[in-house]
Amino acid sequence: MGSIKGLKQVRNVVEDCFRNVHPIYNIKILMIKRELAADPKLREEDWTRFLPTFSSKNVPTRKPLKVREKKAYTPFPPPQPPSKLDLQIASGE
């Protein structure tokens, strides 16, 4: 299964997923920590300056869609409006 330390890291990633945090953020941090642990100069230093800080973005929410009222169903189309020629004939021009 792995070491206790590894299981704790997996647990943190999964719990953050439940909190709606994408796992790539935690995976990036774990990869950076692995590189820093391998470097003998940086092993004893504070790593916070190397670790990324991800800020949450306020994404605007979508506006609700306008629901149009349905018109009454009529099986026949409306009558065609009279054309210009028909109007001229009717007026006597």
Side-chain angles (χ1 to χ4, degrees):
M1 274 182 38
S3 65
I4 297 294
K5 186 176 179 182
L7 290 175
K8 285 182 182 179
Q9 290 173 345
V10 170
R11 181 186 174 107
N12 287 337
V13 171
V14 172
E15 285 177 349
D16 280 346
C17 286
F18 284 123
R19 289 189 209 111
N20 225 6
V21 176
H22 199 276
I24 194 68
Y25 298 127
N26 290 317
I27 293 171
K28 281 184 180 181
I29 291 172
L30 291 174
M31 289 171 55
I32 293 170
K33 283 182 181 179
R34 179 186 290 169
E35 291 292 323
L36 292 172
D39 191 359
K41 293 179 184 176
L42 299 173
R43 185 175 292 155
E44 302 302 323
E45 291 187 24
D46 187 25
W47 293 347
T48 54
R49 62 187 171 133
F50 298 107
L51 299 178
T53 55
F54 300 105
S55 60
S56 62
K57 297 177 183 176
N58 291 332
V59 179
T61 57
R62 290 181 128 189
K63 294 181 183 178
L65 294 174
K66 293 182 181 177
V67 179
R68 291 195 275 172
E69 295 180 19
K70 289 188 176 182
K71 297 179 182 177
Y73 176 73
T74 56
F76 302 106
Q80 286 189 335
S83 65
K84 291 181 182 178
L85 184 64
D86 291 338
L87 292 175
Q88 287 177 354
I89 292 172
S91 68
E93 293 181 16

